[in-house]
Amino acid sequence: MKQQEQLSSPIAGCMRWGKWGANFSTAAYRAMIEECLAIGVNSFDHADIYGDYTTEEEFGDALKEDKTLRSQIKLITKCGIQMVTENRPNHNIKSYNTSKKHIIRSAEQSLKNFGTDYLDVLLIHRPDPLLAPEEVAEAIQTLQNQGKVHAFGVSNFLPHQVNMLRKWVPIQYNQIEVSIICTAPFNNGILDNCIENEITPMAWAPLGGGLLTDDLHPHYRSITHAASLLTEKYVAGLNEILIAWLNTHPSKILPVIGTTKSERLAQAKIAASIKLTREDWFLMMKAATGEDVA
């Protein structure tokens, strides 16, 4: 039975809080964390590479200022990508590394960055063609036995990749791209695999990565038209409807909202209480694909 980490819905995505986006000061990190907690968002999604390997430590500086924050939050982070950056001068090419040594070293560096002695969730960031499942299992077992990692999962893994790895180590989460403009997981087996194996899916870019704010998507007009009909019916905003559409799926998708504004997270929090009818869900799917179901 998988350990329940009681992650919030939504999860706050922190990729753009630092160097890759808003360049938050320590005070701004702390204020954003506190705003999230005030609206009931207690889970924060990171990866070691964010901000060219700087965002975890900056977030950790805010936690170190207020020692009471750590016990109130859930820390999620990812490892396995090696980026070429001045902060990692020994990396010569962007690559993947899921060796036992690298996973343990990455997790321990994340612990140091955050100023904590445990991670609530550790994910493998991308499927690695050279992944040796027994090494991953040994790394995770070591970290869990030491109390350094509570729950383990993957990110961007396809069903066959999940099934291969879970023969060696229990998988509790799979963070995937799924949204109104990325509907493949509803049909390619990813979400079916999550239900079958009691894996909780997390959705990155659950609002389409901003593509619904302009005319770039081929079904932009039909999606926004359908959503506008539902905003009136459910007395909710566009973003709330798009998140509610994900929430309606039986796999219990947890949206990861990558924003620097707590208002966006508050909108997604409201969406957790909205469940679309089946016909409304398929109205949105038709708008996204341009086709009725068979």
Side-chain angles (χ1 to χ4, degrees):
M1 180 64 67
K2 67 182 181 181
Q3 179 177 342
Q4 297 297 326
E5 286 302 309
Q6 298 181 333
L7 303 180
S8 61
S9 181
I11 295 166
C14 303
M15 184 175 74
R16 293 188 174 88
W17 289 19
K19 180 179 177 181
W20 288 359
N23 275 313
F24 279 170
S25 64
T26 302
Y29 272 101
R30 182 173 168 182
M32 185 67 173
I33 294 167
E34 291 172 345
E35 288 173 19
C36 287
L37 289 172
I39 60 175
V41 174
N42 73 353
S43 305
F44 298 85
D45 180 72
H46 290 265
D48 56 354
I49 62 172
Y50 289 171
D52 292 343
Y53 298 94
T54 62
T55 302
E56 283 186 342
E57 185 174 7
E58 291 172 354
F59 189 98
D61 287 342
L63 298 184
K64 292 166 191 173
E65 279 195 352
D66 183 350
K67 302 293 187 181
T68 69
L69 289 176
R70 178 62 186 99
S71 62
Q72 302 177 60
I73 70 173
K74 302 293 184 182
L75 284 175
I76 304 159
T77 197
K78 301 178 283 292
C79 70
I81 298 177
Q82 293 190 153
M83 285 188 60
V84 178
T85 166
E86 63 182 11
N87 293 321
R88 294 294 186 274
N90 57 317
H91 294 173
N92 298 311
I93 185 172
K94 188 176 183 182
S95 59
Y96 300 146
N97 191 339
T98 54
S99 66
K100 176 181 177 180
K101 179 179 179 181
H102 181 78
I103 292 171
I104 291 175
R105 183 172 58 207
S106 296
E108 291 180 341
Q109 182 61 53
S110 293
L111 293 172
K112 180 179 178 181
N113 292 341
F114 289 125
T116 185
D117 55 4
Y118 68 97
L119 301 170
D120 295 281
V121 182
L122 177 66
L123 307 176
I124 300 296
H125 205 155
R126 292 275 178 178
D128 174 11
L130 300 181
L131 184 148
E134 65 276 11
E135 282 203 46
V136 175
E138 288 173 7
I140 299 307
Q141 184 175 32
T142 296
L143 291 166
Q144 291 186 323
N145 287 345
Q146 294 172 345
K148 295 177 179 178
V149 168
H150 286 182
F152 170 67
V154 295
S155 181
N156 304 296
F157 274 50
L158 295 172
H160 68 278
Q161 295 163 331
V162 170
N163 291 341
M164 182 273 289
L165 183 55
R166 66 182 294 272
K167 287 185 178 181
W168 276 266
V169 59
I171 294 174
Q172 294 155 260
Y173 299 95
N174 190 5
Q175 187 174 125
I176 59 172
E177 182 181 11
V178 58
S179 70
I180 193 65
I181 66 166
C182 182
T183 60
F186 294 108
N187 299 306
N188 66 9
I190 291 178
L191 292 173
D192 297 330
N193 182 265
C194 287
I195 294 173
E196 179 184 4
N197 297 306
E198 297 185 292
I199 294 169
T200 301
M202 303 178 191
W204 61 266
L207 294 170
L211 288 180
L212 289 176
T213 61
D214 53 44
D215 228 349
L216 293 177
H217 192 266
H219 297 292
Y220 166 76
R221 286 189 176 86
S222 61
I223 292 171
T224 53
H225 174 69
S228 67
L229 297 177
L230 299 186
T231 61
E232 295 181 17
K233 177 177 179 178
Y234 292 93
V235 193
L238 174 64
N239 287 344
E240 287 100 312
I241 293 299
L242 296 179
I243 295 300
W245 187 73
L246 291 179
N247 289 345
T248 300
H249 193 267
S251 62
K252 300 180 181 178
I253 299 167
L254 295 178
V256 180
I257 309 295
T259 183
T260 58
K261 299 183 183 301
S262 60
E263 309 90 78
R264 293 278 301 277
L265 289 160
Q267 291 172 346
K269 188 70 177 175
I270 292 170
S273 64
I274 301 171
K275 185 167 184 178
L276 306 186
T277 67
R278 282 179 170 269
E279 287 199 343
D280 288 341
W281 193 92
F282 281 101
L283 173 71
M284 292 298 296
M285 179 62 91
K286 179 181 179 179
T289 62
E291 301 177 351
D292 280 317
V293 295

